[in-house]
Amino acid sequence: MSGNERSTVELLNAQDVGRTVARIAHQFIEKTALDDAASPQVVLLGIPSGGVPLAQRIAAAVEEFSGVAIPVGSPDVTLYRDDQRNRPHRRDALVAEAAALAAPREAVAAAAGLSRQRVHAIARRQAKH
């Protein structure tokens, strides 16, 4: 094979991925005792962008197998990305969306990991634009 030719190898097909997601879901159920009210709250966080749909698939599988819905979210990784420098900060977008939906500022602050005052300042700044 020359330097420009590449061979492709399929590591997982669609069925393999489905089985893997199911196995991960069963591990969550077994390790966290989701149906026990005394067990700690479980939240799935998917790293944007590919991890979010994966977390959603795992959460859907957990709900299918156990009947317990797991909240799914994604952390703000904007500050750690080198390809997003010219885009607005994701928290600002979250605050703007929440303000448009008239969500309580306390809920927005908790979801965004900000103080209520910071959320108010961002919402005021967004309203000016």
Side-chain angles (χ1 to χ4, degrees):
M1 190 180 332
S2 70
N4 292 338
E5 294 178 27
R6 287 188 172 166
S7 66
T8 59
V9 176
E10 184 178 88
L11 297 177
L12 297 171
N13 62 29
Q15 290 177 335
D16 295 334
V17 172
R19 274 193 304 274
T20 302
V21 168
R23 289 176 65 195
I24 293 169
H26 283 294
Q27 285 295 310
F28 271 102
I29 295 165
E30 292 171 18
K31 300 287 184 180
T32 61
L34 291 172
D35 55 350
D36 183 6
S39 66
Q41 179 71 28
V42 175
V43 176
L44 282 175
L45 295 178
I47 304 296
S49 61
V52 175
L54 178 59
Q56 291 166 339
R57 282 186 71 177
I58 293 169
V62 167
E63 187 170 9
E64 177 186 339
F65 300 137
S66 71
V68 177
I70 296 178
V72 177
S74 64
D76 183 5
V77 296
T78 306
L79 296 176
Y80 306 101
R81 295 186 62 162
D82 60 359
D83 61 343
Q84 301 285 316
R85 299 232 188 262
N86 296 328
R87 298 177 103 186
H89 196 279
R90 189 164 175 264
R91 277 193 234 177
D92 291 0
L94 174 66
V95 170
E97 288 174 26
L101 296 173
R105 289 222 164 91
E106 291 80 11
V108 175
L114 298 169
S115 70
R116 200 172 57 136
Q117 292 79 14
R118 177 79 174 114
V119 169
H120 183 69
I122 293 170
R124 233 186 2 231
R125 187 174 66 232
Q126 293 289 334
K128 289 180 184 178
H129 297 302

